[in-house]
């Protein structure tokens, strides 16, 4: 298990466009394993390679069912709309209100280079959009309708405590 350091949005690497993955080798597999470890350690839903300082088109997502590894992912279809809360491991302690598609279909390669398609709804569709934006150097705060106020953040923290 190896954890990578999660960079915050003030780092320039988070604002650059990532290059496609061309080598599906040991180095990619190590990156994917480390990204999954880092994601679970941070209790996040998704993590994109630039968040750990790697400018490659690699994303890991786990919305609670299974780990998805997306290499060179593209959104090929969307449907509907949802407006709700969004946060980012690179923007710690903050949340915003963001409108995303209700459903999204992604085409991507797995760790061995095989292409596949995956559908996501609600949280997964939101995660697809959020994480793929990272690969083009974009952070959700750029598209948020607004950020939560200090009072709203406090309410959210209290609600999360009640859940635990
Ligand atoms: Zn993010």
């Amino acid at each position: 298990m190896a954890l990578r350091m999660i960079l915050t949005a003030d780092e320039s690497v988070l604002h650059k466009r990532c290059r496609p993955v061309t080598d599906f080798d040991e180095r990619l597999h190590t990156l994917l394993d480390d990204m999954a470890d880092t994601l679970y350690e941070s209790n996040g839903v998704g993590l994109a390679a630039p968040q750990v300082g790697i400018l490659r088109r690699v994303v890991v997502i786990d919305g609670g069912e299974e780990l998805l590894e997306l290499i060179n992912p593209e959104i090929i279809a969307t449907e509907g709309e949802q407006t709700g809360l969004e946060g980012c491991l690179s923007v710690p302690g903050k949340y915003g209100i963001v409108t995303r598609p209700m459903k999204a279909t992604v085409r991507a390669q797995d760790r061995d280079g095989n292409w596949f398609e995956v559908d996501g709804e609600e949280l997964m569709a939101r995660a697809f959009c959020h994480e793929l934006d990272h690969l083009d150097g974009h952070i959700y705060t750029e598209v948020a309708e607004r950020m939560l106020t200090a009072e709203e953040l406090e309410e959210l923290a209290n609600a999360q405590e009640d859940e635990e």
Side-chain angles (χ1 to χ4, degrees):
M1 170 159 167
L3 298 176
R4 305 242 178 160
M5 196 170 78
I6 298 178
L7 304 176
T8 49
D10 52 344
E11 302 272 354
S12 64
V13 68
L14 276 158
H15 304 278
K16 289 180 179 157
R17 201 178 145 79
C18 298
R19 294 183 302 275
V21 170
T22 50
D23 299 328
F24 294 81
D25 55 7
E26 195 67 25
R27 209 173 147 165
L28 173 68
H29 296 176
T30 302
L31 172 65
L32 284 162
D33 293 342
D34 289 356
M35 284 174 65
D37 288 340
T38 306
L39 177 70
Y40 292 128
E41 178 74 16
S42 328
N43 293 313
V45 172
L47 188 67
Q51 292 181 275
V52 294
I54 307 290
L55 282 169
R56 290 287 178 178
R57 304 187 81 81
V58 175
V59 161
V60 294
I61 294 176
D62 192 332
E65 285 182 10
E66 58 169 346
L67 180 72
L68 263 182
E69 297 177 338
L70 305 174
I71 323 295
N72 299 328
E74 282 172 52
I75 291 175
I76 55 171
T78 61
E79 201 183 310
E81 209 176 82
Q82 57 173 325
T83 298
L85 212 54
E86 202 161 310
C88 178
L89 292 173
S90 293
V91 190
K94 294 191 176 174
Y95 290 91
I97 305 292
V98 186
T99 298
R100 301 285 193 186
M102 181 55 89
K103 293 183 186 179
T105 303
V106 167
R107 183 170 183 267
Q109 283 168 286
D110 67 16
R111 59 165 60 205
D112 299 313
N114 303 306
W115 287 97
F116 66 100
E117 288 183 14
V118 56
D119 296 313
E121 270 189 63
E122 296 184 23
L123 176 67
M124 288 305 287
R126 180 174 293 282
F128 289 159
C129 297
H130 178 115
E131 300 307 331
L132 269 64
D133 277 354
H134 273 303
L135 304 182
D136 291 321
H138 296 300
I139 296 185
Y140 82 95
T141 51
E142 297 167 30
V143 293
E145 285 163 27
R146 64 180 185 85
M147 298 302 286
L148 293 199
T149 63
E151 278 171 13
E152 287 171 322
L153 283 175
E154 204 172 309
E155 275 173 35
L156 186 68
N158 290 337
Q160 283 171 345
E161 259 173 39
D162 290 345
E163 268 175 36
E164 280 165 12

